């Protein structure tokens, strides 16, 4: 039985196994240059004596922590949780741990996460931001950052991975117009402070192409105090009770589309016979809803992998070839808008 008061060191392992410190280091770091017998002996000793590598010292030697931060606005949202899953999987395969920070769509909380991650010495940050601007007091050290989906104003050259929201929102709205809709309600998602104009602009572009004026009464914005489905259901149900005619709804997320669908059922409006409905994100509940909801496939796995690839290159000191990387998105037609 080991009676040491201090943790077993790599030098102790070398003495116990009868090899050099360098050989023990190569075995523990899987560097090769030793026999299978030597590897098995050293690993068995390490396990039996409970050896734990000194990661703090290793971090100092390598000048890296092998950790990154990931800031998401709402981890409950299926799109963001899917992104987080693929990012964590990708970075883990590259030997990195991921601090997942849920800002809960609160600007102050997000700012504190930026400062906290920097103080913890993470090697980089992937961010789906709800802020309008990334100022120097938020990112006060030269830490690699990659923004996914949204890019706040900043004086730094920060790469962004995104879809072309304006184009695909135009396609989704035009789909409703092509089906004969002329009174299309736009239900906008919520973000803390970031103004996501792309989807709104795409909606406006499609209306203009058909010679239809923009009526701001047809734009519903969630206040962000409750779950998206609940807020969307309340807003859409109240709108349906007004004197404004509606024959189409474009919701800028699947969660708001699902809430709109509940409102339509409560109001005894048939989908798609009375009102056609489309969402955005192509998440699971858009496919399982009755009727299934038309949506936009954004390829969150590809967004995540591209973000990880660019961040790893930045960590290794490589400048990005482009600051904006567009991941293609496609409109998926289902029963709700046919």
């Amino acid at each position: 039985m080991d009676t040491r008061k201090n943790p077993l060191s790599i030098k102790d392992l070398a003495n116990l196994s009868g090899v050099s410190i360098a050989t023990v280091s190569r075995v523990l770091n899987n560097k090769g240059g030793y026999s299978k017998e030597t590897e098995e002996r050293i690993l068995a000793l390490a396990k039996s004596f409970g050896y734990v590598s000194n990661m703090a010292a290793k971090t100092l030697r390598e000048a890296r922590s092998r950790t990154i931060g990931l800031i998401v606005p709402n981890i409950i949202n299926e799109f963001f949780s899917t992104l987080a899953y693929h990012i964590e999987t990708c970075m883990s395969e590259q030997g990195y741990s991921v601090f997942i920070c849920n800002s809960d769509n609160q600007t102050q909380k997000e700012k504190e996460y930026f400062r906290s991650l920097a103080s913890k010495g993470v090697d980089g940050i992937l961010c789906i931001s709800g802020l309008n601007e990334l100022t120097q007091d938020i990112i006060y050290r030269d830490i690699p950052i990659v923004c996914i989906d949204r890019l706040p104003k900043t004086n730094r050259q920060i790469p962004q991975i995104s879809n072309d929201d304006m184009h695909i929102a135009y396609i989704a709205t035009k789909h409703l117009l092509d089906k004969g809709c002329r009174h299309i309600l736009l239900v906008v998602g919520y973000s803390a402070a970031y103004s996501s104009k792309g989807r709104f602009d795409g909606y406006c572009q499609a209306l203009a192409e058909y010679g239809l004026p923009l009526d701001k009464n047809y734009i519903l914005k969630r206040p962000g105090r409750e779950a998206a489905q609940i807020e969307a259901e309340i807003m859409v149900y109240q709108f349906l009770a007004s004197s404004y005619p509606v024959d189409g709804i474009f919701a800028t997320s699947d969660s708001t589309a699902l809430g709109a669908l509940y409102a339509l059922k409560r109001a005894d409006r048939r989908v798609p016979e009375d009102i056609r409905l489309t969402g955005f994100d192509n998440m699971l509940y858009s496919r399982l809803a009755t009727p299934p909801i038309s949506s936009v496939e954004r390829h969150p796995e590809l967004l995540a992998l591209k973000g990880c690839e660019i961040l790893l290159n930045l960590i290794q000191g490589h400048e990005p070839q482009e600051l904006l990387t567009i991941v293609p998105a496609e409109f998926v037609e289902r029963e709700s808008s046919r």
Side-chain angles (χ1 to χ4, degrees):
M1 179 175 163
D2 184 35
T3 59
R4 303 171 196 269
K5 292 183 180 179
N6 297 321
L8 193 72
S9 69
I10 192 170
K11 182 178 180 181
D12 295 328
L13 269 180
N15 290 334
L16 288 167
S17 57
V19 297
S20 68
I21 293 174
T23 299
V24 173
S25 177
R26 287 199 303 274
V27 170
L28 295 177
N29 290 285
N30 197 27
K31 296 292 187 180
Y34 42 79
S35 67
K36 186 66 176 177
E37 180 185 356
T38 298
E39 178 186 26
E40 290 175 352
R41 183 167 74 254
I42 291 171
L43 292 178
L45 284 167
K47 183 176 180 181
S48 64
F49 283 98
Y51 172 79
V52 178
S53 64
N54 188 338
M55 290 304 296
K58 187 175 181 180
T59 295
L60 289 173
R61 289 195 303 272
E62 296 183 351
R64 289 182 188 168
S65 65
R66 307 293 294 183
T67 63
I68 69 154
L70 169 62
I71 301 176
V72 296
N74 183 356
I75 198 66
I76 296 175
N77 181 294
E78 187 186 350
F79 179 76
F80 298 134
S81 61
T82 302
L83 271 176
Y85 169 78
H86 289 299
I87 288 169
E88 192 281 330
T89 301
C90 176
M91 296 305 295
S92 177
E93 290 173 354
Q94 298 300 319
Y96 283 80
S97 299
V98 181
F99 293 116
I100 299 178
C101 306
N102 176 41
S103 71
D104 202 26
N105 267 314
Q106 298 178 29
T107 54
Q108 189 56 40
K109 193 173 182 181
E110 182 178 337
K111 291 176 182 178
E112 290 169 359
Y113 273 136
F114 266 109
R115 298 183 184 112
S116 175
L117 290 169
S119 68
K120 284 178 169 46
V122 296
D123 294 334
I125 296 175
L126 285 165
C127 178
I128 306 149
S129 183
L131 300 176
N132 270 331
E133 187 174 7
L134 292 177
T135 53
Q136 193 63 35
D137 64 310
I138 300 173
I139 43 176
Y140 56 85
R141 72 178 179 88
D142 192 22
I143 181 171
I145 296 174
V146 175
C147 284
I148 298 177
D149 191 36
R150 313 164 180 176
L151 181 62
K153 295 177 184 176
T154 177
N155 57 7
R156 288 185 51 175
Q157 297 291 298
I158 295 179
Q160 178 192 13
I161 318 298
S162 183
N163 307 115
D164 187 343
D165 276 6
M166 179 176 174
H167 176 70
I168 198 63
Y170 160 80
I171 295 296
T173 308
K174 186 176 183 298
H175 166 76
L176 294 174
L177 292 164
D178 289 343
K179 294 292 184 177
C181 299
R182 291 300 180 268
H183 305 284
I184 301 173
L185 186 64
L186 177 67
V187 188
V188 181
Y190 175 80
S191 64
Y194 184 78
S195 177
S196 182
K197 287 182 77 278
R199 298 175 200 183
F200 171 75
D201 289 344
Y203 166 82
C204 294
Q205 180 185 358
L207 292 181
E209 189 174 285
Y210 272 74
L212 299 174
L214 173 65
D215 186 341
K216 292 187 178 179
N217 291 306
Y218 279 80
I219 302 169
L220 302 183
K221 297 181 180 179
R222 284 183 46 228
R225 290 187 288 269
E226 296 187 73
Q229 292 93 330
I230 295 172
E231 290 188 343
E233 180 180 357
I234 292 171
M235 291 190 305
V236 172
Y237 186 76
Q238 290 174 344
F239 191 90
L240 292 172
S242 72
S243 60
Y244 293 100
V246 183
D247 53 15
I249 298 176
F250 173 33
T252 62
S253 73
D254 282 345
S255 51
T256 54
L258 189 62
L261 181 62
Y262 293 155
L264 291 167
K265 289 182 177 181
R266 282 179 58 196
D268 292 323
R269 304 292 184 93
R270 297 172 303 163
V271 180
E273 293 86 353
D274 299 328
I275 297 177
R276 289 180 166 86
L277 171 67
T278 68
F280 212 95
D281 291 341
N282 201 31
M283 293 291 100
L284 180 62
Y285 36 77
S286 69
R287 302 192 289 274
L288 298 181
T290 305
I293 301 172
S294 299
S295 191
V296 171
E297 173 55 60
R298 302 180 61 199
H299 302 292
E301 181 177 3
L302 188 53
L303 286 166
L305 294 178
K306 287 288 186 182
C308 291
E309 177 187 336
I310 292 174
L311 184 64
L312 287 167
N313 283 333
L314 289 176
I315 290 171
Q316 293 163 8
H318 305 305
E319 292 295 323
Q321 294 182 348
E322 296 179 325
L323 287 178
L324 176 60
T325 301
I326 295 294
V327 171
E330 298 89 36
F331 181 75
V332 181
E333 181 182 347
R334 297 194 178 96
E335 188 180 334
S336 71
S337 67
R338 284 178 181 156

